[in-house]
């Protein structure tokens, strides 16, 4: 028996679908509070020293947290090549905006304290705000568009995806009402998460302001998430595979027959257990908001993480087995069963993941243990190495 035959092709596809979700959730759980803190910076920090304290709560860890983002992109490239090709082509301008915003973060950290000028530092503070708020919003907008479907189709030879409209029209098309609502869910969720982090890592007026804003953000996240769910249930058509589903067949989406119809929420009738995901989302938000108002620290951050885990996983579980549906040609829609790499590729990647992911988790845990504790004003005013 060939070694990679120990795990069947269909099982490997589901494993890598789940691992992709783990990587994306891992990014949201870790770098998500970095984005939230950046978006909160101009509003929570009123003086230069306070803003330096806020920046130094994430300064030592943000680069390591982006490992999950890089791993997620690499996993899409290697495990789901059609998804990589279609999404990176169709969402090119949106991704360019995200990357441009993310570039502002290291530049802002590096240059903010180079001059004593208040105007100079305030400018970079707003650059850090953009570096946090824009990605948080655009990631949610992308998810909202995925749930609605993307206007692409595959050529018969599978050489390239084709899109309707020019680049500007595609970008404007992404900014539709439902996608913007999903962006509000994402942004408010990460603002709550960033507030929970600041409540853990700071003290005094900074922590108090962060908790007040985080409580409001949590309420907005819960209301917008509920509204997005109702809209998805009653206002957006779902997708269905008709005919026999070949789970271990070739990776060619055009071999499957997909039609639009019904609702994405039909998945909850077929697999009732997936309701645990949105329940975790709402419970996590409620307990995080209560923790922020009560001034609790570690538990609040954990509840915020539970909310993020539930909200993001609810999207994947609701759509399964679809990964990226097409509004132009439903049969071009990408699913778990027909858009992966080969059996051998997925197996080799799984072996690498089993070896290296525990090392990444162990190292990350060690870093957070070393950096445990609050950042006080004396830490930034008396340390020449701080931001």
């Amino acid at each position: 028996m060939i070694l990679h035959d120990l795990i069947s092709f269909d099982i490997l596809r589901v494993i890598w679908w789940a691992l992709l979700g783990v990587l994306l959730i891992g990014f949201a759980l870790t770098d998500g509070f970095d984005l939230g803190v950046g978006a909160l910076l101009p509003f929570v920090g009123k003086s230069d020293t306070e803003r330096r304290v806020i920046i130094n709560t994430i300064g030592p860890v943000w680069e390591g947290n982006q490992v999950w983002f890089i791993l997620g992109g690499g996993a899409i490239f290697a495990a789901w090549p059609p998804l990589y090709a279609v999404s990176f082509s169709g969402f090119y301008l949106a991704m360019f905006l995200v990357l441009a915003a993310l570039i502002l973060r290291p530049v802002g950290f590096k240059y903010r304290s180079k001059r004593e000028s208040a105007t100079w530092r305030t400018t970079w503070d707003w650059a850090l705000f953009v570096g946090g708020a824009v990605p948080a919003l655009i990631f949610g907008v992308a998810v909202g568009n995925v749930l609605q479907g993307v206007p692409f189709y595959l050529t018969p030879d599978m050489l390239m995806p084709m899109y309707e409209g020019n680049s500007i029209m595609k970008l404007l098309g992404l900014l539709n009402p439902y996608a913007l609502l999903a962006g509000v869910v994402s942004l408010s969720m990460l603002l709550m998460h960033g507030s929970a982090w600041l409540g853990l890592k700071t003290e005094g007026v900074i922590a108090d302001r962060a908790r007040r804003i985080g409580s409001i953000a949590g309420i907005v996240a819960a209301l917008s998430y509920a509204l997005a769910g109702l809209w998805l249930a009653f206002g957006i058509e779902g997708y269905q595979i008709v005919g026999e589903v070949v789970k271990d067949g070739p990776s060619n989406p055009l071999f499957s027959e997909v039609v639009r119809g019904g609702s994405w929420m039909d998945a909850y009738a077929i697999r009732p257990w997936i309701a645990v995901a949105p329940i975790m989302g709402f419970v996590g938000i409620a307990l995080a908001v209560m923790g922020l108002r009560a001034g609790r620290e570690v538990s609040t951050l954990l509840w915020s993480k539970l909310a993020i885990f539930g909200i993001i996983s609810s999207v994947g579980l609701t759509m399964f087995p679809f990964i990226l549906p097409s509004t132009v040609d439903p049969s071009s829609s990408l699913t778990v069963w027909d858009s992966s790499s080969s059996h051998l590729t997925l197996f080799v990647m799984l072996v690498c993941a089993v070896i290296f992911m525990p090392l990444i988790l162990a190292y990350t845990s060690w870093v957070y243990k070393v950096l445990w504790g609050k950042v006080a004003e004396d830490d930034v005013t008396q340390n020449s190495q701080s931001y």
Side-chain angles (χ1 to χ4, degrees), residues 133-312:
V134 170
L137 177 68
I138 296 298
F139 287 142
V141 167
V143 172
N145 278 281
V146 169
L147 285 165
Q148 295 176 93
V150 180
F152 75 94
Y153 64 92
L154 301 174
T155 57
D157 53 13
M158 287 285 291
L159 288 179
M160 66 176 65
M162 304 296 291
Y163 289 84
E164 291 188 340
N166 56 43
S167 297
I168 299 299
M169 291 303 297
K170 284 189 287 186
L171 178 61
L172 294 176
L174 296 177
L175 302 176
N176 57 77
Y178 184 79
L180 290 173
L181 176 61
V184 171
V185 176
S186 175
L187 177 59
S188 57
M189 175 181 73
L190 295 185
L191 286 174
M192 179 187 70
H193 198 40
S195 298
W197 175 256
L198 289 177
L200 174 67
K201 295 292 290 183
T202 64
E203 54 192 3
V205 294
I206 299 176
D208 292 339
R209 292 191 198 112
R211 291 182 179 121
R212 285 197 298 270
I213 296 175
S215 298
I216 297 172
I219 294 171
V220 172
L223 293 176
S224 56
Y225 181 49
L227 179 58
L230 291 173
W231 194 336
L232 188 66
F234 300 106
I236 296 176
E237 274 192 311
Y239 288 75
Q240 299 175 356
I241 301 176
V242 296
E244 182 181 0
V245 178
V246 181
K247 299 180 180 181
D248 57 355
S251 291
N252 187 336
L254 299 177
F255 286 173
S256 300
E257 185 178 354
V258 177
V259 297
R260 296 204 70 172
S263 167
W264 284 121
M265 295 303 181
D266 294 341
Y268 291 86
I270 300 171
R271 304 185 300 274
W273 61 271
I274 67 175
V276 69
I279 290 173
M280 284 193 298
F282 284 116
V283 170
I285 291 175
L287 293 175
V289 169
M290 292 170 60
L292 286 167
R293 291 184 171 180
R296 291 188 286 269
E297 298 179 355
V298 176
S299 62
T300 300
L301 186 65
L302 294 177
W303 290 128
S304 179
K305 290 179 182 291
L306 178 68
I308 292 173
F309 181 88
I311 290 172
I312 296 178

Side-chain angles (χ1 to χ4, degrees), residues 321-361:
F322 289 91
I323 302 177
L324 189 65
S326 167
T327 57
V328 176
D329 177 22
S331 291
S332 294
S333 300
L334 307 182
T335 76
V336 172
W337 312 124
D338 54 26
S339 56
S340 72
S341 292
S342 68
H343 190 173
L344 178 59
T345 300
L346 295 183
F347 179 78
V348 172
M349 289 177 62
L350 181 61
V351 172
C352 293
V354 169
I355 295 172
F356 290 107
M357 281 194 69
L359 296 177
I360 294 172
L361 289 170

